Amino acid sequence: MSSSGELFVVAAPSGAGKTSLVNALVEGDEQLLLSVSYTTRPARPGEVDGVHYHFTPPEAFAGMVENGEFLEWANVFGNCYGTHEGTTRAVLDSGRDVILEIDWQGARQVRERFPGCHGIFILPPSLEALQDRLGRRGQDSAEVIAGRMEKARAEISHCDEFEFVVVNDDFDTALDELRTLVAACRAGRAPASDRHPELLASLLRTDLPA
């Protein structure tokens, strides 16, 4: 086996619980390091530079893009986010594994630069559960929630671009499945993944639940 670490890319629609699962996965695995993205957006209260993000002036970020320093990057609502390629490869070369928590567009860029990565897509258990999770704050209008559902559906439509699919119905079960996938990929025995075709079809239906 190679001494180089494995690169994992995890994506999901908003409301699927991706961040909570990734944080729990990393917390329980000393071999796995969560990549810290670069961003041009200002730090929010409580955020620490180098821990939550590398907060970077727009001019500096643009220079990094021009120099080809990112494995992937995107402009999201006027703020840029990116994964530094040199830092990622240095960690992998040290023998540790890296996990990227990004969207499907970023994952597509990573596959182009790093075809040996392992892509994992997190799905919610149903359209109704997704809508409930997106509306839990109770402060958004039905129109706002409907817009989020439409965006989530667009993200889910790219699920087939990923090697593995995990359904976050029960959190502990989904976390155990992620741990199993990571262990199998490390051992070079990545299992066949259930593509959940019926669930995927139901999540992509055009009528929203009442």
Side-chain angles (χ1 to χ4, degrees), residues 76-116:
V76 182
F77 302 119
N79 294 311
C80 295
Y81 299 82
T83 302
H84 195 270
E85 180 167 3
T87 301
T88 302
R89 290 191 181 273
V91 174
L92 294 171
D93 289 343
S94 76
R96 292 191 69 182
D97 303 323
V98 177
I99 188 165
L100 309 181
E101 183 191 342
I102 54 181
D103 65 11
W104 68 267
Q105 293 168 301
R108 183 178 286 180
Q109 294 179 56
V110 172
R111 280 192 295 272
E112 292 175 356
R113 303 285 289 271
F114 208 107

Side-chain angles (χ1 to χ4, degrees), residues 31-43:
Q31 176 67 15
L32 189 61
L33 183 69
L34 177 61
S35 174
V36 179
S37 298
Y38 285 71
T39 184
T40 59
R41 77 159 174 78

Side-chain angles (χ1 to χ4, degrees), residues 4 10 16 56 72 89 133 142 158 191:
S4 177
V10 180
T56 309
E72 59 83 28
R89 290 191 181 273
R133 292 174 184 178
H158 294 276

Side-chain angles (χ1 to χ4, degrees), residues 12-152:
S14 177
K18 172 184 64 174
T19 297
S20 296
L21 282 170
V22 168
N23 286 342
L25 180 66
V26 172
E27 184 178 351
D29 189 336
E30 294 181 354
Q31 176 67 15
L32 189 61
L33 183 69
L34 177 61
S35 174
V36 179
S37 298
Y38 285 71
T39 184
T40 59
R41 77 159 174 78
R44 294 168 182 160
E47 289 184 330
V48 178
D49 184 44
V51 176
H52 298 93
Y53 287 97
H54 295 290
F55 297 101
T56 309
E59 298 81 6
F61 193 100
M64 295 171 75
V65 171
E66 187 175 348
N67 292 333
E69 296 183 39
F70 290 118
L71 259 180
E72 59 83 28
W73 75 276
N75 187 313
V76 182
F77 302 119
N79 294 311
C80 295
Y81 299 82
T83 302
H84 195 270
E85 180 167 3
T87 301
T88 302
R89 290 191 181 273
V91 174
L92 294 171
D93 289 343
S94 76
R96 292 191 69 182
D97 303 323
V98 177
I99 188 165
L100 309 181
E101 183 191 342
I102 54 181
D103 65 11
W104 68 267
Q105 293 168 301
R108 183 178 286 180
Q109 294 179 56
V110 172
R111 280 192 295 272
E112 292 175 356
R113 303 285 289 271
F114 208 107
C117 69
H118 306 285
I120 303 170
F121 200 91
I122 309 294
L123 288 176
S126 69
L127 206 60
E128 292 77 11
L130 180 62
Q131 179 166 286
D132 178 64
R133 292 174 184 178
L134 289 175
R136 275 181 186 170
R137 286 182 294 181
Q139 299 175 346
D140 297 317
S141 66
E143 183 179 4
V144 169
I145 295 174
R148 289 178 177 168
M149 290 291 290
E150 190 61 34
K151 181 180 178 182

